[in-house]
Amino acid sequence: MSIQNIDVKYTAVATAENGRDGRVASDDGKLDVVVNPPKELGGSGAGTNPEQLFAAGYSACFQGALGVVARRAKADISGSTVTAKVGIGQNESGGFGLEVELVTSIPNVDEATAKSLIEQAHQVCPYSNATRGNIKVDIKLA
């Protein structure tokens, strides 16, 4: 797989202090959150965690990609939702890995159209393009 060349239109900048047990803030001050490992990973669970932030970003981005393909197809996706479930666990080499499940609900279209739209969105979404071939990503219709 070759590295994708893009024409960058925007760059997000965030800085973490103390890794998974600290703070993350964007350079513009719009994001400033305490991060702590979840209880399931031995942490306090007091703040958010990188997996929740990834799930939030992926679901929002996928919803945006769904809007792009729906406009092209003249499909009504009003009332639609995308839920991202991001799992973390140990991989075979002793490190850690992620997997994602995207569950999309599109109430105003038939099942075949909805499935086609989410397949197309998966090809358009920057998060899907970034993760493709690297981690398991399951896309499902609710």
Side-chain angles (χ1 to χ4, degrees):
M1 179 183 281
S2 63
I3 296 196
Q4 193 178 46
N5 291 314
I6 63 168
D7 178 18
V8 175
K9 303 293 185 195
Y10 168 77
T11 300
V13 179
T15 301
E17 297 172 4
N18 296 323
R20 296 181 65 86
D21 205 2
R23 177 179 163 263
V24 177
S26 61
D27 65 333
D28 62 5
K30 293 179 182 177
L31 176 73
D32 191 343
V33 295
V34 172
V35 290
N36 300 112
K39 289 182 180 181
E40 296 84 351
L41 295 178
S44 69
T48 189
N49 59 66
E51 293 71 40
Q52 288 175 328
L53 295 170
F54 188 77
Y58 204 159
S59 62
C61 192
F62 197 86
Q63 180 78 40
L66 183 62
V68 168
V69 299
R71 280 189 294 283
R72 290 177 187 163
K74 296 183 180 14
D76 179 9
I77 64 160
S78 59
S80 65
T81 60
V82 176
T83 301
K85 301 175 182 182
V86 176
I88 183 172
Q90 199 160 11
N91 62 24
E92 309 85 41
S93 62
F96 288 87
L98 300 173
E99 66 179 34
V100 176
E101 179 182 67
L102 295 171
V103 181
T104 304
S105 171
I106 312 173
N108 295 324
V109 298
D110 62 82
E111 184 176 343
T113 301
K115 285 182 177 180
S116 175
L117 289 171
I118 64 172
E119 286 289 341
Q120 292 173 61
H122 192 47
Q123 298 306 309
V124 171
C125 176
Y127 276 66
S128 293
N129 288 329
T131 58
R132 187 170 291 109
N134 299 310
I135 67 171
K136 179 181 172 186
V137 177
D138 287 329
I139 57 172
K140 296 182 178 180
L141 187 59

